[in-house]
Amino acid sequence: MTRHPLSLALVAAIAAGPAFAQDAPTEQASTLDTLIVTGTRVTDRTAAESTSPIDIISPEILQSTGTVELATALSRAIPSLNFPRAAINDGTDAMRPAQLRGLAPDHTLVLVNGKRYHTGALVNVNGSQGRSSSPVDLNSIPISAIERVEVLRDGASAQYGSDAIAGVINIVLKGSDSGGSASLTAGQYSAGDGRQYQGLADAGFKLGESGKVHFAVQLGHQDQTDRARPFLGTVTPTSVPGGRVVQRYGDPEVDHGSFLYNGEFGITDYLTFYSYGLYTKRETLSNGFF
């Protein structure tokens, strides 16, 4: 069989194509996974290498939930975290507890930058979730100050003790010496009530040659909501009129402000001073009487 010279040239070109492509240098981009510090003593472990499942919540996820409260944002991002909106519960309306894995609110250990965060001073004595507990007020921490949130559920008590029976929530604060962000959001419910707005801002600055500090602020307001139904019971001479709404049932009115700083100053290669502080003020109005 006689081969045509043109076919030989095509075969040679096809054979030479891959060889020419292999000779050219190729660059492959590599993406590093987020390093975790919760549930491990190793400083370079990622979420994929962790022996226990860890949820990492970024600030973009928190802000995309469209809420002014950190606990509400976490409940929308983490299926195992429950943050119900109990109504007409006095002080519990101002500092509502959050549950992890369906256990008591004070069985969750909350850390800020790996250090234990203080619990609240309010003891829940009303008929709401977390009765007789005094958990951490997650909503006191501004969302604009958070770099990421690490949530450890399985095996937390074996590493952190009986305070972490339900799990560990470690809130890592922003600590860069430059950059920043600002945002303003507003909205209301489809029923026409519960109008709310919030402003978030953060910025980082250098302190001398080896120091840095990062500031964050959050201001917010929300109006009351009302989901009460008309009185449907048996009308008596001492009862309220039938078919009328005579009291409010829903979220309270809240005015909230938080300011946080996170900084550090390096003295030597092996000595660094660090500090963070938080100031929060919240005024809540919850009226549910006739």
Side-chain angles (χ1 to χ4, degrees):
M1 179 178 63
T2 303
R3 294 184 179 179
H4 196 275
L6 181 59
S7 62
L8 294 176
L10 291 175
V11 172
I14 294 174
F20 178 79
Q22 292 175 0
D23 293 339
T26 59
E27 296 182 359
Q28 295 182 353
S30 59
T31 302
L32 296 178
D33 197 1
T34 303
L35 297 179
I36 59 172
V37 295
T38 306
T40 178
R41 297 181 182 271
V42 183
T43 58
D44 58 350
R45 177 167 292 178
T46 62
E49 299 171 347
S50 174
T51 56
S52 300
I54 295 180
D55 294 327
I56 299 179
I57 311 301
S58 64
E60 291 79 14
I61 295 178
L62 295 176
Q63 295 182 13
S64 66
T65 58
T67 178
V68 299
E69 301 174 324
L70 174 59
T72 303
L74 290 177
S75 66
R76 295 175 181 176
I78 305 173
S80 59
L81 193 144
N82 185 28
F83 187 62
R85 313 186 71 87
I88 316 179
N89 279 273
D90 296 333
T92 307
D93 281 5
M95 196 177 73
R96 299 195 305 275
Q99 269 185 326
L100 191 62
R101 299 173 61 191
L103 299 177
D106 53 2
H107 286 172
T108 300
L109 177 62
V110 179
L111 308 175
V112 175
N113 282 350
K115 306 298 187 296
R116 183 187 298 267
Y117 192 60
H118 64 84
T119 59
L122 175 69
V123 179
N124 296 309
V125 296
N126 300 288
S128 62
Q129 174 198 15
R131 182 176 174 84
S132 75
S133 66
S134 182
V136 169
D137 183 13
L138 291 174
N139 292 333
S140 62
I141 302 176
I143 296 179
S144 58
I146 298 176
E147 176 68 26
R148 66 182 184 275
V149 180
E150 300 175 355
V151 181
L152 173 65
R153 299 183 304 274
D154 299 335
S157 59
Q159 302 180 58
Y160 292 92
S162 58
D163 289 344
I165 294 177
V168 177
I169 299 177
N170 185 22
I171 301 173
V172 181
L173 303 177
K174 295 179 180 178
S176 60
D177 58 1
S178 61
S181 62
S183 64
L184 179 64
T185 59
Q188 68 177 18
Y189 292 103
S190 58
D193 57 4
R195 183 176 302 168
Q196 57 182 266
Y197 58 84
Q198 73 166 349
L200 301 172
D202 69 280
F205 304 93
K206 291 184 178 181
L207 293 178
E209 295 292 334
S210 58
K212 57 183 179 179
V213 62
H214 204 98
F215 298 101
V217 64
Q218 175 175 340
L219 299 174
H221 170 82
Q222 74 173 26
D223 292 336
Q224 290 181 342
T225 61
D226 190 3
R227 298 296 181 270
R229 295 181 178 181
F231 179 72
L232 302 178
T234 302
V235 179
T236 65
T238 58
S239 70
V240 299
R244 291 180 55 187
V245 177
V246 295
Q247 68 182 89
R248 189 195 64 86
Y249 186 83
D251 290 340
E253 178 183 348
V254 180
D255 287 298
H256 175 76
S258 294
F259 173 79
L260 185 144
Y261 77 89
N262 179 33
E264 65 178 39
F265 192 85
I267 305 300
T268 62
D269 294 338
Y270 56 86
L271 180 61
T272 301
F273 290 101
Y274 67 90
S275 173
Y276 66 85
L278 170 67
Y279 174 80
T280 297
K281 182 178 181 180
R282 184 185 307 143
E283 295 183 359
T284 304
L285 175 62
S286 178
N287 51 354
F289 297 99
F290 295 150

